[in-house]
Amino acid sequence: MHRSGISVGRALRDSFERAAVDRKGLIKIKIQDEEVVEAASRLMTENIESDFNQMADLVETNEPCYFAFRLDRRSNTPEWALVSFVPDGSEVRSKMIYASSRSSMKEQLGASYFVHDLFCSTKDELDYRCFLQSREQEMATKPLTEREVLLKQEARLEKDVSVRSVAIGGVTVDITSSVAAEMDRFAAGEVNWIELCVDVTSGSEDLRVVRSTRVNSEVMQEHVNASEARYYIVRLSHRRPGDNALVTADVFVFFCPDAATVKTKMIYSTFKAAVLKAAAASHIAFAKTLEARSVGEVSEPSIVDELYPNVGVKSVISQSFAKPSRPGKGRAKIEKAEF
């Protein structure tokens, strides 16, 4: 599963490390401003069931979060359960963020401290009896390695990350009729440039057409939105290196500037395969699939270099080591001078 790259904040690290000393038994964890942070905490009491059931009072409607719950009561090396609370009504973007950040968060806090995971989507599941049933079921199953457990749990959470139409690796992207129509027009040669974006404003994560037109390959970089992540489907008309023949090549460009947020990078990286599959359904065969971070990488010379990476090198090598021709035939003769 793709990891979001979101890091654990220093304050949460310190709080987690001092939990045994401070007698914290419950820590609510959220992702805010591209950082994993502590949202609330509760001290341990003598009643572990009551401590656990406090989670239901700390959740917000349709807002995902994690809970770190301390299972032991007195050890200096505490054991924790990680509870992932992801309501069904959460935005798809939030589901993906929490699904892709969980393993990394555990590793940064110390994976060995977490001995059990619980996945919940309703407040009713944030109940100590449900937790005990989950532990009993886990113990009754065949023992798995730590990696197998992580993969199994990630796969379970990933199933909730869906939209509607084209599915790739558990993630579904809605390919609207307008997108499919423009891809068909591209395949038919009516347009040679399609700019696509993932609409994250509505929470539905739909693929949208920003622009579909004909552009001159020589100035194609002028049509790139330098500040926004985009997918570009391009039919590049160019002179082929070597024989200088005028040819065309269909190219897919995933453009994501360095300044894009971590969330944006994750969403576009996740949906890329689904966009390629949709293009294939419209019988678009790409000669090259590229990723670019700057406008200059989406220029005709740059893409041509990617299409023919070795042509120029071979030509230079061939010319550099070409055997020079002699002006005459046979071996050179040396004439002796007569005195």
Side-chain angles (χ1 to χ4, degrees):
M1 180 182 178
H2 175 80
R3 296 193 177 187
S4 65
I6 293 175
S7 61
V8 173
R10 182 70 260 177
L12 175 57
R13 290 175 186 264
D14 293 342
S15 178
F16 191 76
E17 291 173 0
R18 290 186 51 82
V21 177
D22 297 339
R23 293 196 56 76
K24 285 185 179 180
L26 176 64
I27 302 175
K28 180 182 178 181
I29 302 170
K30 296 190 69 174
I31 298 175
Q32 294 178 343
D33 299 326
E34 301 179 9
E35 188 175 60
V36 183
V37 300
E38 178 179 334
S41 65
R42 296 290 184 270
L43 299 179
M44 289 189 299
T45 70
E46 296 302 318
N47 190 328
I48 189 172
E49 180 174 358
S50 176
D51 290 350
F52 189 95
N53 292 341
Q54 291 181 93
M55 295 182 199
D57 298 326
L58 295 174
V59 298
E60 303 170 63
T61 303
N62 293 332
E63 290 293 331
C65 66
Y66 306 114
F67 288 101
F69 181 75
R70 186 172 173 180
L71 297 175
D72 70 292
R73 301 279 92 179
R74 294 179 176 82
S75 173
N76 290 326
T77 55
E79 294 182 343
W80 297 82
L82 180 63
V83 180
S84 299
F85 179 73
V86 182
D88 292 333
S90 304
E91 292 184 358
V92 174
R93 180 174 67 255
S94 295
K95 290 182 179 181
M96 290 191 301
I97 291 289
Y98 277 82
S100 60
S101 301
R102 187 182 60 83
S103 293
S104 176
M105 179 190 69
K106 289 176 67 174
E107 291 175 2
Q108 293 178 62
L109 292 176
S112 61
Y113 293 126
F114 295 96
V115 298
H116 186 74
D117 287 84
L118 180 67
F119 295 85
C120 304
S121 58
T122 66
K123 290 179 66 173
D124 292 339
E125 294 175 301
L126 295 172
D127 181 85
Y128 189 62
R129 288 170 296 179
C130 293
F131 173 72
L132 292 179
Q133 291 175 1
S134 175
R135 292 200 73 181
E136 290 174 0
Q137 292 173 359
E138 183 182 61
M139 294 176 181
T141 59
K142 181 180 178 180
L144 300 175
T145 66
E146 174 70 13
R147 176 172 175 77
E148 289 172 333
V149 170
L150 291 176
L151 291 174
K152 181 178 179 180
Q153 291 161 351
E154 284 184 353
R156 179 181 175 184
L157 190 54
E158 276 187 299
K159 291 179 181 178
D160 292 333
V161 185
S162 61
V163 184
R164 286 191 292 278
S165 299
V166 178
I168 296 288
V171 178
T172 311
V173 183
D174 181 27
I175 305 299
T176 63
S177 58
S178 61
V179 172
E182 292 307 318
M183 287 186 174
D184 289 342
R185 290 184 65 208
F186 181 93
E190 296 178 28
V191 296
N192 66 356
W193 176 275
I194 302 177
E195 179 182 350
L196 302 170
C197 74
V198 179
D199 182 8
V200 298
T201 58
S202 62
S204 60
E205 312 295 347
D206 295 342
L207 186 68
R208 303 291 184 187
V209 176
V210 178
R211 189 183 182 200
S212 179
T213 185
R214 298 193 66 84
V215 303
N216 186 330
S217 297
E218 295 179 354
V219 293
M220 58 188 296
Q221 68 271 22
E222 296 178 6
H223 298 271
V224 176
N225 188 328
S227 61
E228 300 290 340
R230 291 287 187 265
Y231 304 115
Y232 293 100
I233 297 177
V234 183
R235 178 159 294 143
L236 182 71
S237 178
H238 61 284
R239 293 288 179 180
R240 184 169 55 202
D243 59 7
N244 205 37
L246 183 62
V247 296
T248 60
D250 293 347
V251 179
F252 177 87
V253 180
F254 166 33
F255 180 79
C256 192
D258 289 330
T261 65
V262 173
K263 292 180 183 179
T264 298
K265 292 176 181 178
M266 186 206 67
I267 291 171
Y268 274 80
S269 295
T270 302
F271 287 177
K272 174 185 170 183
V275 179
L276 290 171
K277 185 174 181 180
S282 293
H283 306 290
I284 301 173
F286 294 113
K288 197 75 174 179
T289 300
L290 305 174
E291 293 189 5
R293 295 182 296 179
S294 66
V295 173
E297 295 176 276
V298 197
S299 64
E300 180 188 6
S302 180
I303 294 179
V304 169
D305 286 344
E306 292 290 342
L307 287 170
Y308 310 97
N310 298 319
V311 172
V313 174
K314 289 180 179 178
S315 177
V316 170
I317 292 175
S318 176
Q319 293 177 13
S320 299
F321 292 93
K323 186 177 180 180
S325 58
R326 292 214 321 254
K329 294 183 179 180
R331 298 183 65 177
K333 296 181 179 180
I334 300 177
E335 296 183 358
K336 294 180 179 181
E338 296 182 359
F339 296 96

